Amino acid sequence: MSVLMVNDRYDFNSLKELLDTTDGNLASHLKGLEKEEYILVHKTFLGRKPNTTYAATEKGKTAFKQHLDALEKLIKQQKSN
């Protein structure tokens, strides 16, 4: 999600390379994000090759920001103890 928060779209192969992960692992995570409606999936062909790109939805962006806020709160609580 962090990649999609700072980029309008990102394609599968670029995500795989950036995250240094396997096809199956990445596909599994993307499927979960899609199921929650946190990302949009756009499938096209470049010549004869399939090209799948992903974009964060407003729902996904909001959920990600809430996640970051919760992590920040947790860190602040740990520092004050």
Side-chain angles (χ1 to χ4, degrees):
M1 277 302 295
S2 60
V3 174
L4 297 177
M5 293 292 288
V6 296
N7 293 281
D8 289 335
R9 291 190 171 274
Y10 226 78
D11 68 85
F12 185 88
N13 288 329
S14 296
L15 275 172
K16 185 176 89 165
E17 183 178 321
L18 178 68
L19 301 173
D20 192 26
T21 188
T22 63
D23 287 7
N25 190 298
L26 180 56
S28 175
H29 286 279
L30 290 168
K31 187 174 182 179
L33 292 170
E34 182 183 14
K35 181 180 177 187
E36 294 297 322
E37 299 178 347
Y38 289 169
I39 62 171
L40 292 174
V41 180
H42 184 70
K43 295 180 182 231
T44 60
F45 281 88
L46 295 176
R48 293 178 168 239
K49 289 187 175 187
N51 184 46
T52 305
T53 59
Y54 304 90
T57 63
E58 285 305 314
K59 181 179 178 181
K61 289 177 182 180
T62 298
F64 189 74
K65 287 175 187 172
Q66 290 172 343
H67 176 69
L68 290 180
D69 290 344
L71 289 174
E72 188 173 324
K73 183 179 177 182
L74 180 65
I75 291 167
K76 286 180 181 177
Q77 286 175 348
Q78 294 301 311
K79 284 183 178 181
S80 66
N81 288 335

